[in-house]
Amino acid sequence: MPKTSSRRPVVRRALGSTLLAAATLLAAALPATAAAQHGGPALSHRSPGCGENPGQAAGTSADHTLVSGGIERRYRVHLPAGYRTGRPLPVVLAFHGQGRTSAYMEELTGFDAVDAIAVYPQGVPGTEKGKPSWQGAPYSAPGVDDVRFAGDLITALERNLCVDETRVHAAGKSNGGGFTALLACRMPERIASFSIASGAFYPQSGPCEPGAPAPVLDFHGLADTTIPYDGNPAKGLPAVPDWLAGRAALAGCAPASRDRDRADGVTVRTWRHCDGRGALVHYRVAGLAHDWPSTSPNLDSDQPAVLDATPVMWQFMRHHPLRSRAGS
């Protein structure tokens, strides 16, 4: 791996029973034809890094750097305890919100607990009080190409670690969620799925012209006053239902969605008959503020939500691999 520092063990969050519950919830939300759309089990592609020394011990997290667009960029990698140099694993790229850090995102999401290489990229200081941010917001750092950074980061991970190239996924919170949506517009042929919590979908992201339909999973709270569910015209923020309608059209889904009321303040909205790998599932959560949903207090809030986003996202990721990689 490139430059490495601050190696330390990380305690995993116990998600076993929650993962099982999430699998049941997501199975009910996904189209019955999804397996047929994928054409059966996905092939496992071994990246060039299989067999290489990863530069850190399994079961630990470490900080790394690479140069992208002439800028030294930082990111944090957690290798699961079961990491082996000959066993290709999925990758989860988790993008923090404005003003946060990779270490914050690691603790907030708990992606270290899943059987994947969890990667927490670090944003660069933006124009609002130097807070770290991502491309596509009014406060993003001018001239910084975070989409290029994401691509360069994936390349570095595939070169230095044993990665299943068909199972590289992106997730994000707030500004990081908006950036994840931007990646769904720019990199759907390379990133397998996109999961968003409390996404900030600013118009500065530009037009969305994906080369292929993308699977998107979205969570948003009705009590979010930072990125309101009904939008904020003064900031150019769309109402979440309008943004979802746009994503459904981009994925070629049938216009009418199907709603399932869980009777706990959560409505699961699913679009069906999407083109190719396209998929769209939305969790509307009553009482949830601008937080990463968790049934336990977390760094975002000491008020528990009625569901955990991380295990639901992980099941969505497992359900949506790429069929293949160009040139693989």
Side-chain angles (χ1 to χ4, degrees):
M1 296 282 286
K3 301 176 186 176
T4 308
S5 64
S6 303
R7 189 176 304 162
R8 67 174 178 84
V10 172
V11 178
R12 292 189 171 194
R13 293 168 61 184
L15 291 180
S17 60
T18 313
L19 281 168
L20 180 60
T24 303
L25 290 173
L26 192 60
L30 290 168
T33 58
Q37 290 174 350
H38 292 308
L43 296 175
S44 176
H45 292 271
R46 295 167 59 89
S47 73
C50 291
E52 298 292 327
N53 184 337
Q56 70 181 80
T60 68
S61 292
D63 294 322
H64 302 268
T65 63
L66 62 80
V67 176
S68 176
I71 303 172
E72 185 174 79
R73 303 299 302 265
R74 296 185 292 123
Y75 60 100
R76 189 166 181 80
V77 174
H78 178 82
L79 296 182
Y83 181 83
R84 302 290 182 270
T85 59
R87 182 171 74 104
L89 286 178
V91 168
V92 178
L93 303 171
F95 296 93
H96 61 74
Q98 185 201 21
R100 302 305 188 186
T101 66
S102 54
Y104 182 100
M105 194 64 173
E106 179 178 33
E107 185 173 348
L108 176 68
T109 63
F111 277 121
D112 288 2
V114 305
D115 190 25
I117 300 165
V119 182
Y120 307 93
Q122 179 62 48
V124 299
T127 60
E128 187 176 296
K129 300 180 180 179
K131 295 178 181 179
S133 60
W134 300 103
Q135 182 178 349
Y139 44 74
S140 303
V144 174
D145 190 343
D146 285 320
V147 174
R148 175 174 177 173
F149 169 49
D152 290 343
L153 175 54
I154 294 170
T155 297
L157 295 168
E158 292 175 346
R159 183 176 61 245
N160 296 300
L161 299 173
C162 194
V163 171
D164 181 342
E165 296 177 346
T166 69
R167 295 179 182 271
V168 176
H169 306 275
K173 157 79 192 298
S174 191
N175 171 222
F179 180 63
T180 299
L182 177 58
L183 292 177
C185 298
R186 305 284 184 85
M187 301 179 68
E189 298 92 346
R190 192 170 191 189
I191 299 177
S193 75
F194 306 85
S195 297
I196 300 164
S198 305
F201 307 121
Y202 289 103
Q204 284 82 358
S205 292
C208 185
E209 300 172 346
V216 174
L217 172 64
D218 179 69
F219 294 79
H220 213 105
L222 293 178
D224 190 336
T225 57
T226 303
I227 307 294
Y229 196 89
D230 293 330
N232 185 333
K235 294 184 177 181
L237 289 167
V240 173
D242 293 341
W243 181 83
L244 291 166
R247 281 256 36 120
L250 287 168
C253 305
S257 59
R258 178 178 298 181
D259 286 0
R260 180 172 63 87
D261 185 351
R262 294 194 346 171
D264 59 357
V266 176
T267 299
V268 184
R269 178 167 294 174
T270 306
W271 283 258
R272 297 177 179 254
H273 310 298
C274 306
D275 292 340
R277 295 183 58 255
L280 182 59
V281 179
H282 170 62
Y283 280 70
R284 185 182 69 198
V285 187
L288 180 70
H290 192 63
D291 305 327
W292 186 274
S294 172
T295 55
S296 301
N298 62 18
L299 293 181
D300 273 354
S301 175
D302 58 2
Q303 299 298 316
V306 296
L307 80 167
D308 288 295
T310 297
V312 179
M313 289 180 178
W314 176 235
Q315 291 302 324
F316 186 80
M317 294 170 187
R318 293 181 66 186
H319 195 85
H320 290 284
L322 288 171
R323 288 177 181 160
S324 63
R325 271 280 308 280
S328 62

